[in-house]
Structure formats: structure tokens, C-alpha cells
């Protein structure tokens, strides 16, 4: 189920939201049957955009940071979900090694690592933090903003196992998205569970693969619910071999942009939507909101400036961009204290365990909010026993976060499809 969390949603319930709320029993049964056939990613976060006429995921992160943005009252949900996940993977698990990103001096990121450590310890695991950064050659204590200390230890590799000093884990959790490639130290591990698997890393993973899987999930869910899958699914296309700096592949990219815009216009006409459609052009691999631009017309790509070309050419860890995802732009109707907002849903195993709002005071409803200057507003639980003044006596207010939890879980299910299809060890028939 989905926790009853406060959202910034105000005003009347849309037709889509009403349909989802009314169909809760059917939706939960559908998910239950899906999880009988597929294994959820260990954890993930999903960026959701609500344009009122449609609600869709725009990004799915399989190595989520930002756990420090969840409120303390949400931690019991995360602990319970962790217990459920660990029991399925390794019921006798005792020791867990957490491997963070290599940028070890980012205080916000390290607060996220400390939060993960708290969650897994509360789930009954001994947790140590092992760094694979070449900069960490000895035990390193980092003091966080709140005064808490975090011990980073260099990871040692035996023939087939990872360890830190006097600590032999049965489970290794990556909070490192492997953007720079898969380091050899993580390969060919025996008798240790590595979560998520290496092929979930950005050196292998592609957003276009994820949204192909999401396309299948949305069609199946839409058929079950009796809705047009487009209402929960952004149109997308892929462009390869693009070099912004050299001006190569731009015409093919423009053709893809025009094709996506044409599909959106047809849907807008069908539903009587008067807004002007736009697309987000994103690096097909990568995270942190890098390598993203918005366009309303393919002709805009003829005259982008040098700064934009540089932004679109290189992403995290200096990785060059050549493959791009062209994704339908989904505007957000939500704002908090005058700042544009979008919900981010957090999940462990198959459970929604919380979320927060990403807000940006200087970005518009159609822009990328995952950019410098973004702030994070933790979601809290709805106060208990709230009554709807306009409803029947004793009738509880609807869980308006439920819709976001459904979209998040659809994206998580798509990630499970994606990982199954890209698993290099899967049998091919």
C-alpha cells in the first residue's frame, strides 16, 4: 500500500486521479500479481510530474540518494521494507557493506549515506561504509553538518569477495551509480549478494530501455484500468550518434524531436488540450539532472549557444554524450510557497516508503527542476482522522499521494522488466 502523505495538491480531483482512487482494490491486486512474476529493484526513486490531464514518471533512479530528505517518521516504513527485502534475498544476512559515490566531500550526499546506514542498522544488520574511491586509502572520518561522524573505510578485494578491515559482508549495497564505468573490484564476486546488479549502473543502463519497458507496463495497466496509457506515459524516442560540439547527428535528432512533437499534438487535439507541447532532450544515460534541455520546436536546435552545447556534451564524471532520449515534456501544476514543485517517490523492495518535493524558485512549470538551486521539502503524514467538510459525515479525505505512489510503483515495475531484459546472465531461448 501507499502511505497517506501530505501533498501540495489543491482543488478538485481530476478525472484521472478519481479513477485511480476508486480503483484501489483492482490496482493493488494487479500489482500483487505482477510481483509474483517479477522481482522489484532493491530500492529506487521516481520523479513524477502532474500536469493534471496526465501524470507520468520522467526519471527513475536505481541508486537513489536523498534519503536524508525523508522525515524521521517515515523511517519505520523504510526499516520494515528493508526487512522484507533482505529476508527474500538472504534471510541469514548479518553484515552489509554500503558502497557510496566517490565524491566523498559532498555533505548533503554523505547525510544520505548516514541515513541509509541508520535504516539498515534498524533492520538488524551490521553496517560498514566501504569506499572504492582512489582517494580513500585509509580509514577516514567525516563530520556531517549536524555533528554526526561517518567512518569511510577503504575496500579490500580478496580473490572473490569484498571486505573492509575485520568485516566480511554477505550483502553489498551500491549507492554508487557507476557512471564512470564498472570498476574491476566489483566484478566476479562469489557468494556475496550485490545490490543493485552491475548492469543497473549508468555505464550499461539506458533511459530509453527503461521507458520501453515502462511503455509495456503502462499498456498493461491502462488495459486493466480502462484508460488511455498515454495519460500515464510520456511519448519518447531515441537519437544516437549526436555530437553537439561538432554539429554531428543534429538533423537526425531534429527528426526525432519532430516525430515526438507530432504524436503529442495529436493527443493534445484528441483531449482538447490548448497548451503548446514541448520535449525534454536528455542524455540517454546519467543522472543528477545533467545533460537536459527543453525545446518546443526542432528548429531551436539550429541555434543553440556554446554554453548549451557544452552542457549537453558532457555529464557526470566527464562522460561524453552521444545517445539521447527525446521525452514528452510534462508540465507540473504544483507549487509550494511560490516555487515550482514536483514529487519524488521513494521505494524499497515493492513498497512506497516516503518521498519529498523537489522545488525550484527560479524554474517554470515546464523546466527541469533537478538543477542547481533546487530545494527539498520532506513530505509528512496526513494528520489522523481528518474529515472532509464537503463529504459525507465521517468520510475520510482521499489519500491524494496514492496516485503518485501508483505511478512510482509502475516505474519500479518497469525497472524490474528492464533489468530482466538487460541481465547479461539471463538465459536466451
Amino acid at each position: 500500500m501507499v502511505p497517506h502523505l501530505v501533498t501540495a495538491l489543491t482543488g478538485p480531483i481530476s478525472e484521472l486521479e478519481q479513477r485511480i482512487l476508486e480503483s484501489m482494490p483492482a490496482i493493488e491486486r494487479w500489482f500483487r500479481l505482477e510481483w509474483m512474476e517479477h522481482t522489484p529493484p532493491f530500492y529506487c526513486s521516481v520523479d513524477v510530474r502532474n500536469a493534471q490531464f496526465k501524470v507520468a514518471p520522467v526519471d527513475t533512479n536505481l541508486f537513489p540518494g536523498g534519503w536524508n530528505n525523508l522525515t524521521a517518521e517515515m523511517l519505520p516504513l523504510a526499516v520494515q521494507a528493508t526487512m522484507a527485502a533482505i529476508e527474500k534475498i538472504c534471510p541469514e544476512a548479518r553484515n552489509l557493506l554500503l558502497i557510496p559515490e566517490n565524491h566523498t566531500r559532498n555533505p548533503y550526499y554523505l547525510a544520505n549515506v548516514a541515513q541509509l546506514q541508520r535504516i539498515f542498522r534498524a533492520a538488524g544488520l551490521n553496517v560498514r561504509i566501504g569506499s572504492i574511491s582512489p582517494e580513500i586509502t585509509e580509514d577516514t572520518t567525516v563530520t556531517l553538518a549536524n555533528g554526526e561522524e561517518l567512518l569511510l573505510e577503504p575496500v579490500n578485494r580478496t580473490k572473490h569477495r569484498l571486505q573492509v578491515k575485520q568485516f566480511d559482508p554477505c550483502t553489498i549495497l551500491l549507492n554508487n551509480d557507476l557512471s564512470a564505468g564498472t570498476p574491476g573490484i566489483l566484478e566476479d564476486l562469489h557468494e556475496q549478494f550485490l545490490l543493485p546488479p552491475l548492469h543497473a549502473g549508468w555505464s550499461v543502463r539506458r533511459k530509453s530501455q527503461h521507458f520501453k519497458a515502462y511503455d509495456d507496463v503502462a499498456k498493461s495497466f491502462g488495459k486493466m484500468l480502462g484508460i488511455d496509457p498515454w495519460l500515464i506515459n510520456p511519448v519518447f524516442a531515441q537519437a544516437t550518434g549526436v555530437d553537439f560540439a561538432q554539429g554531428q547527428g543534429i538533423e537526425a535528432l531534429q527528426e526525432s524531436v519532430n516525430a515526438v512533437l507530432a504524436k503529442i499534438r495529436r493527443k493534445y487535439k484528441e483531449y482538447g488540450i490548448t497548451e503548446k507541447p514541448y520535449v525534454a532532450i536528455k542524455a540517454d544515460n546519467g543522472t543528477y539532472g545533467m545533460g537536459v534541455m527543453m525545446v518546443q520546436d526542432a528548429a531551436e536546435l539550429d541555434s543553440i549557444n556554446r554554453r548549451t552545447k557544452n552542457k549537453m556534451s558532457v555529464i557526470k564524471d566527464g562522460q561524453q554524450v552521444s545517445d539521447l532520449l527525446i521525452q514528452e515534456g510534462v508540465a507540473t501544476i504544483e507549487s509550494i510557497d511560490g516555487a515550482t514543485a514536483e514529487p519524488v517517490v521513494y521505494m524499497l523492495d515493492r513498497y512506497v516508503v516516503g518521498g519529498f518535493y523537489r522545488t525550484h524558485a527560479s524554474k517554470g512549470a515546464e523546466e527541469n527542476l533537478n538543477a542547481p538551486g533546487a530545494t527539498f521539502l520532506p513530505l509528512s503524514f496526513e494528520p489522523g482522522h481528518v474529515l472532509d467538510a464537503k463529504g459525507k459525515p465521517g468520510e475520510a479525505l482521499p489519500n491524494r499521494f496514492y496516485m503518485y505512489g501508483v505511478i512510482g510503483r509502475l516505474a519500479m515495475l518497469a525497472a524490474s522488466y528492464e533489468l530482466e531484459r538487460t541481465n547479461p546472465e539471463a538465459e536466451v531461448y
Side-chain angles (χ1 to χ4, degrees), residues 290-291 309-321:
M290 301 176 73
K309 288 180 180 179
N310 291 339
K311 182 184 78 169
M312 295 300 297
S313 297
V314 180
I315 54 173
K316 185 187 170 196
D317 292 332
Q319 298 300 300
Q320 297 293 316
V321 175

Side-chain angles (χ1 to χ4, degrees), residues 10-19 21 52 398-400:
T10 58
I13 293 176
S14 69
E15 184 177 339
L16 174 61
E17 185 182 1
Q18 186 69 46
R19 185 64 170 269
L21 287 169
Q52 196 165 42
N399 181 2
R400 298 200 71 168

Side-chain angles (χ1 to χ4, degrees), residues 150-200:
L150 202 62
L151 177 63
L152 305 175
E153 304 176 70
V155 170
N156 300 312
R157 173 72 188 248
T158 61
K159 187 174 182 181
H160 293 302
R161 295 179 71 87
L162 289 186
Q163 300 172 330
V164 293
K165 185 171 54 181
Q166 298 180 334
F167 187 79
D168 187 16
C170 62
T171 306
I172 298 160
L173 180 68
L174 294 177
N175 199 241
N176 181 318
D177 64 23
L178 309 180
S179 289
T182 303
I185 195 171
L186 297 178
E187 296 178 330
D188 300 319
L189 295 176
H190 291 189
E191 300 175 358
Q192 287 178 310
F193 294 96
L194 184 66
L195 305 169
L198 292 178
H199 67 283

